[in-house]
């Protein structure tokens, strides 16, 4: 079964736009679980423009499903993850000012750095995932660095999908086979939606997890959160 992890960053963005605590990030996360989500993803950035460190601490003891924390492994982020101990940490190569994750790691160039960071998290009993492109070498070096999983950056798939499904998914299928052959778990995320998720899943049915935020929260404005989560779950069947 491929698990659906709901990224709630956009909920925090809405809250922060007016100050205060509406919508309440913890309540939305718990509602996502109640409505069928298999996990919750957060990406605390240094400027706390959406998810705050305090949100991460608040969420950890209350969630009943898997908690995934994404971020660039700067010292402050490493300290947060080691204190909170989510079920999974996903390492992304974002700069502090970056709007959103828009590329995978160069795992070959950063092998020594990633190896050190991944070892620290693995020793703490936290499953590790590294955000990568479909490039074979990047996946191989993620495995060499000690990652438990890779997360495929799926924006290129989403962009190419309207022009041709088969061509869009082909490099991801090959990358998924390479990851499986190396003994890596497999996650995917970025711009997956109700339009393109089912086709992706049908071609890579051994996916462990998809992490979806922006499209899902946008769909919830029209469909409601409960129905939206069920629609996404239906795409993974």
């Amino acid at each position: 079964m491929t698990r659906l992890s709901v990224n709630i960053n956009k909920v925090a963005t809405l809250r922060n736009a007016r100050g205060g605590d509406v919508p309440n990030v913890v309540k939305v996360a718990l509602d996502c679980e109640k409505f069928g989500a298999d996990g919750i993803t957060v990406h605390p950035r240094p400027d706390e423009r959406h998810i705050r460190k305090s949100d991460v601490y608040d969420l950890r003891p209350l969630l009943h499903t898997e908690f995934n924390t994404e971020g660039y492994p700067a010292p402050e982020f490493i300290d947060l993850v080691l204190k909170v101990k989510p079920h999974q940490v996903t390492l992304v190569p974002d700069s502090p000012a970056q709007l959103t994750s828009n590329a995978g790691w160069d795992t070959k160039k950063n092998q020594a750095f990633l190896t050190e960071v991944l070892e620290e998290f693995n020793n703490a009993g936290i499953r590790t995932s590294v955000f990568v492109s479909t490039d074979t070498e990047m996946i191989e070096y993620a495995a060499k660095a000690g990652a438990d999983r890779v997360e495929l950056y799926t924006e290129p798939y989403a962009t190419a999908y309207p022009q041709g499904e088969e061509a869009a998914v082909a490099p991801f299928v090959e990358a998924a086979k390479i990851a499986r052959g190396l003994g890596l778990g497999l996650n995917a995320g970025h711009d997956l939606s109700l339009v393109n998720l089912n086709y992706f899943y049908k071609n890579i049915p051994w996916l462990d997890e998809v992490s979806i935020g922006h499209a899902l929260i946008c769909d919830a404005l029209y469909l409601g959160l409960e129905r939206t989560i069920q629609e996404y779950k239906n795409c993974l069947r």
Side-chain angles (χ1 to χ4, degrees):
M1 183 187 75
T2 300
R3 299 165 68 88
L4 171 66
S5 187
V6 176
N7 186 317
I8 58 171
N9 280 13
K10 286 297 185 292
V11 177
T13 301
L14 183 59
R15 175 199 62 190
N16 295 353
R18 287 286 297 269
D21 197 31
V22 178
N24 182 276
V25 168
V26 172
K27 183 181 185 306
V28 172
L30 294 175
D31 283 342
C32 287
E33 290 187 323
K34 182 171 66 175
F35 298 150
D38 304 299
I40 299 296
T41 292
V42 294
H43 187 153
R45 286 186 163 87
D47 60 7
E48 297 194 320
R49 64 180 180 266
H50 35 64
I51 290 293
R52 301 167 182 156
K53 285 190 294 183
S54 59
D55 295 324
V56 183
Y57 285 111
D58 290 344
L59 285 162
R60 182 63 178 99
L62 299 176
L63 295 177
H64 303 289
T65 58
E66 183 174 285
F67 191 28
N68 173 46
T69 304
E70 299 180 344
Y72 178 82
E76 186 177 24
F77 177 80
I78 294 172
D79 181 65
L80 173 66
V81 172
L82 291 175
K83 286 177 178 175
V84 173
K85 290 194 175 179
H87 301 94
Q88 177 176 267
V89 58
T90 301
L91 304 185
V92 296
D94 293 3
S95 68
Q98 206 161 312
L99 181 63
T100 187
S101 302
N102 59 9
W105 281 94
D106 183 333
T107 53
K108 184 177 181 179
K109 179 180 178 181
N110 293 282
Q111 184 187 7
F113 172 60
L114 288 171
T115 298
E116 181 180 348
V117 172
L118 290 168
E119 183 178 14
E120 193 166 10
F121 289 139
N122 286 330
N123 287 341
I126 303 166
R127 187 174 68 239
T128 55
S129 180
V130 174
F131 200 56
V132 295
S133 70
T134 56
D135 184 281
T136 299
E137 195 171 42
M138 297 303 103
I139 298 169
E140 291 173 344
Y141 273 88
K144 290 177 182 179
D148 296 311
R149 294 184 182 182
V150 289
E151 178 173 337
L152 295 178
Y153 169 53
T154 50
E155 188 274 336
Y157 164 74
T159 299
Y161 182 86
Q163 283 73 50
E165 301 168 347
E166 290 186 23
V169 83
F172 291 88
V173 173
E174 291 308 307
K177 289 177 180 176
I178 291 164
R180 183 169 61 173
L182 291 167
L184 292 167
L186 186 66
N187 299 339
H190 204 90
D191 286 354
L192 294 173
S193 69
L194 291 177
V195 173
N196 59 44
L197 178 58
N198 182 249
Y199 188 79
F200 193 85
Y201 166 72
K202 285 194 297 185
N203 282 273
I204 313 174
W206 64 91
L207 271 170
D208 289 301
E209 174 186 292
V210 292
S211 175
I212 305 177
H214 183 79
L216 189 150
I217 298 301
C218 290
D219 289 330
L221 294 175
Y222 295 95
L223 304 176
L225 186 59
E226 181 173 9
R227 180 181 165 192
T228 296
I229 288 174
Q230 289 305 309
E231 292 284 348
Y232 276 88
K233 292 278 288 183
N234 288 338
C235 289
L236 300 172
R237 296 189 174 100

